[in-house]
Amino acid sequence: MSINLKSLISVLDAEWNGSNTDIYVDHISIDSRSLQNGSQTLFIALSGVNNDAHLYIAELIEKGVQNFVVQYIPENAVGKANFLVVKNTLKALQEFAAYYRDLFQIPIIGLTGSNGKTIVKEWLNFLLSPDYNIIRSPKSYNSQVGVPLSVIAINEKHNLGIFEAGISTVNEMVKLEKIIKPNIGVLTNIGSAHDEGFENLEQKINEKLLLFKNSTEIIYQKNKLVDECFAKFCAEYPLTERVLFSWSFTDQTADVFIAKRSNKSETTNIQYQYKKEVFDLEIPFSDSASVENAISCLLVLLYFKYDAATIQNRVSLLYPVEMRLEVKNGTHNCSIIDDSYSSDFQSLKIALDFLESQNKNVSKTVILSDIFQSGFSNEELYSKVAQLIADNKINRVIGIGATISSFAGKFSNITTFQNTAEFIAQFDSMNFANETILIKGARSFQFEEIVSLLEEKTHETILEINLNSISHNFNFFKSKLKPNVKMMVMVKAFGYGNGGLEIAKLLEHHKADYLGVAFADEGISLKNGGIKLPIMVLNPESTSFPSIIQYQLEPEIYSVKGLKAFLKIAKEKDLKNFPIHIKLDTGMHRLGFEENTIDELIETLRGNTTVKIQSVLSHMATSDDMNHYQFALSQIQLFEKLSSKLMAELNVKPIRHILNTSGISNFPDAAYNMVRLGIGLYGVSNDSAEQKYLENVGTLKSIISQVRTIPVGDSVGYGRRFMAEKATKIATIPIGYADGIARLWGNQVGYVVIKNQKAYIVGSVCMDMLMVDVSEIDCKEGDSVIIFGESPTVIEMAAALKTIPYEIMTSISQRVKRVFFR
């Protein structure tokens, strides 16, 4: 983004107050606390019921911000910065976003509905990301503020946008439509959320359809009321090229008719008719809400003309979106369905449906708060809720809140409490055991306290791997490359300690071109796991050549001796054009053909048909250190010279690659045909400016095993290296150097995080345990402990230990369980 302030005067209908309009901004902010605010920021001072950002303008000026959109200029800021003065800053934010959206001619998918917007958006991003560079709404940014903030994140490299729009009353969608301007519309489930903002359901549907005023393709679930609304909508906003693309479980006139549907314990099989053909699809969910959301995604894929095989392959990988509803293990053999942040009638129906799908033939309990956003009178609402409870054969209901308590007579099996605190006081007498418990409550009731009481406390040290972050980091580096440049991703050393096979599967989904491993057994493991991508073995031993050939791996050849050994085996096996990769030593002096061996290499390969040079590569020694910039350039120049000679003499055109993660960013002109992405995939960059764009992948977690307080003069750990100078509360954590925690990280050098507070390691790190000072932290046995992740980061740990993040990550032992999640 680079926007001239002068151009915004007319866009925002603003009055200029400043010294110079010939200024460019590259960052829009509404958060005065953001550390990203700076001289190139345009700060839009929103004013609301609870806060007025104008109060922080003087402070922002002191921090270097010079450009503002305001409704008035504070007295303490007059003459100190540039101001665009408007009548309404929220309207100005929206008008700027609409102006910015018009700068990009890319297809946009716009989603609206009562339920499922965020899930469908996230799933579409997953399903389409192998083929598109997608910009999408972050999280649930679908409001009057969230939508413009989402749209202004578009840049020139995006070729598809997916944005959701949420409204709570009339006259809101028309504003969001001007910002999103979707070409493709998706109407998700219409339910009772925000009913109170509309006169009736028809009015709500009509308002939502306004998002699609200029959409040429609109996807929706066919039913009588929606069809009637669409008929009126199309008459009022005619477009000759508009196509309504519908689906239905019951109406055979729909464009996609779901002819059959059968549920298993965790999946749903559907048979759908489309263009007079019949197709089968397995959806990896059994609840109705997920199935409907998946079908919305199916129609988008059909619109984009994906074939049935591709659709099935991608849909089978869909995952639960972590928003509000999570399934957890509870105490006393209970299962907990945590939906503790929302309470409306429609989502209650969905949650009860999900409860049924998760129930394992045990008793069913619902803990329910007062319900909001229903659109019904309380009398009608709780009659409907009681009927829902009865229909779902719920064994017992616990109602919390004054309103639900006053309608207890409508339920046959309810115990009520006026508030959450009253329930917690009686918790021990409730005798929860051997049941599935749905916890469904509005945020104001703080049901997370109930979840905490019921949830089983795990006692294992785990490394959590965020696959969403892997995807994000992969796409970040991919966006830096020209379209014709391939990407090899390194998954050696057990995926840099993060787990090789699971990450390889994800990379295969994202259409990486190659995988790289250090040794043959790593590649064999991936092939046995079903990986189809070509895999290069960087450090093959000659004894592994037969296995490399057997498993169709591709060896890196770095010496004449190794080449002749491989050619001998290849000839014995009568191979033809088996792919090999030639490694050149351009200054790393680790492995590779040096310049004085190139002629012998050429003569050995000349006329040979048993192998084919798939690629020529080298390794940069200082791509991350600009103090050695000239040396890095000399490596690139020598690589160009030697690889060009090899190609000319042998009349071949192999892939060429020399750049690693740092090289991708620092030497983009040397990308050749392919680059090798390594530690950057796992969220680590040597460039602090680049680091802020990467997402943390691995979080190492444990728990507190024991807490004790020691008196003055007592010691902790081997060698009495920590002596208490005052009464000190000590927590023991079940992780040590056998798990990969360096002993140098002990003795108050390093720390862990408990309850968002630092707890420094005292004494020596033991083989299986370490001890921390928690004197200032209110904690207990069983509480979660962060060893590394967002804080401390592996970069921070590496700096303190005078090593590199690679060593920290790859040191985590195999006995630490890896848990993958999206």
Side-chain angles (χ1 to χ4, degrees), residues 246-265:
S246 64
W247 69 272
S248 177
F249 289 117
T250 57
D251 190 340
Q252 296 187 39
T253 66
D255 299 292
V256 176
F257 175 60
I258 313 302
K260 294 182 180 179
R261 173 182 175 181
S262 59
N263 288 71
K264 298 180 181 178
S265 60

Side-chain angles (χ1 to χ4, degrees), residues 727-741:
T728 306
K729 187 164 68 170
I730 301 294
T732 301
I733 318 298
I735 185 171
Y737 59 77
D739 302 294
I741 306 303

Side-chain angles (χ1 to χ4, degrees), residues 244-422:
L244 299 183
F245 191 21
S246 64
W247 69 272
S248 177
F249 289 117
T250 57
D251 190 340
Q252 296 187 39
T253 66
D255 299 292
V256 176
F257 175 60
I258 313 302
K260 294 182 180 179
R261 173 182 175 181
S262 59
N263 288 71
K264 298 180 181 178
S265 60
E266 297 179 354
T267 61
T268 299
N269 292 318
I270 65 169
Q271 188 178 86
Y272 63 96
Q273 298 173 3
Y274 175 58
K275 291 186 174 180
K276 298 182 179 180
E277 293 189 66
V278 177
F279 304 89
D280 293 309
L281 180 66
E282 184 179 86
I283 298 169
F285 299 93
S286 58
D287 65 288
S288 297
S290 296
V291 172
E292 290 186 11
N293 291 333
I295 293 172
S296 292
C297 294
L298 165 65
L299 266 70
V300 175
L301 295 177
L302 291 172
Y303 168 78
F304 280 93
K305 302 188 186 312
Y306 284 90
D307 59 66
T310 301
I311 290 173
Q312 178 60 80
N313 180 54
R314 295 190 182 180
V315 168
S316 68
L317 298 173
L318 289 179
Y319 54 90
V321 176
E322 287 191 339
M323 292 193 306
R324 299 187 177 115
L325 196 150
E326 299 176 30
V327 179
K328 304 175 178 179
N329 290 329
T331 58
H332 305 298
N333 200 34
C334 291
S335 291
I336 310 301
I337 299 176
D338 180 4
D339 195 9
S340 57
Y341 296 103
S342 69
S343 182
D344 63 78
F345 183 66
Q346 184 64 25
S347 65
L348 173 61
K349 292 195 291 184
I350 294 168
L352 288 170
D353 190 12
F354 188 79
L355 167 62
E356 183 59 33
S357 72
Q358 292 293 308
N359 188 50
K360 300 179 176 62
N361 298 315
V362 295
S363 179
K364 292 182 291 186
T365 297
V366 173
I367 301 176
L368 183 65
S369 77
D370 288 346
I371 293 178
F372 306 124
Q373 299 180 351
S374 72
F376 305 116
S377 68
N378 284 338
E379 178 73 23
E380 185 179 10
L381 168 63
Y382 287 101
S383 295
K384 289 178 175 289
V385 171
Q387 188 59 52
L388 263 183
I389 294 295
D391 291 345
N392 282 270
K393 297 180 174 59
I394 303 302
N395 300 92
R396 68 167 166 169
V397 179
I398 296 169
I400 299 178
T403 307
I404 194 172
S405 295
S406 67
F407 289 93
K410 294 186 177 294
F411 300 82
S412 61
N413 52 354
I414 193 169
T415 303
T416 61
F417 300 89
Q418 289 295 309
N419 52 55
T420 304
E422 186 177 309

Side-chain angles (χ1 to χ4, degrees), residues 143-258:
S143 66
Q144 298 292 305
V145 173
V147 168
L149 291 178
S150 301
V151 168
I152 61 178
I154 301 174
N155 66 45
E156 294 77 5
K157 293 181 179 178
H158 294 127
N159 55 16
L160 178 65
I162 308 176
F163 298 106
E164 55 176 302
I167 57 172
S168 57
T169 189
V170 296
N171 301 321
E172 290 185 344
M173 189 61 83
V174 65
K175 301 172 185 176
L176 301 185
E177 191 280 334
K178 291 177 180 177
I179 300 168
I180 299 175
K181 293 186 179 70
N183 316 91
I184 306 153
V186 178
L187 182 66
T188 63
N189 177 275
I190 296 293
S192 60
H194 300 295
D195 271 357
E196 66 274 14
F198 305 92
E199 293 178 3
N200 50 47
L201 185 59
E202 181 178 353
Q203 185 188 50
K204 181 162 72 170
I205 294 172
N206 289 335
E207 180 73 11
K208 288 182 179 293
L209 294 188
L210 292 177
L211 177 63
F212 310 134
K213 276 182 13 180
N214 295 292
S215 301
T216 54
E217 187 87 11
I218 305 173
I219 291 164
Y220 73 103
Q221 182 178 6
K222 192 175 181 63
N223 68 53
K224 182 180 178 181
L225 180 57
V226 174
D227 282 344
E228 290 172 355
C229 291
F230 264 122
K232 297 175 185 176
F233 170 82
C234 291
E236 187 172 355
Y237 304 101
L239 281 180
T240 55
E241 65 272 35
R242 178 184 287 134
V243 175
L244 299 183
F245 191 21
S246 64
W247 69 272
S248 177
F249 289 117
T250 57
D251 190 340
Q252 296 187 39
T253 66
D255 299 292
V256 176
F257 175 60
I258 313 302

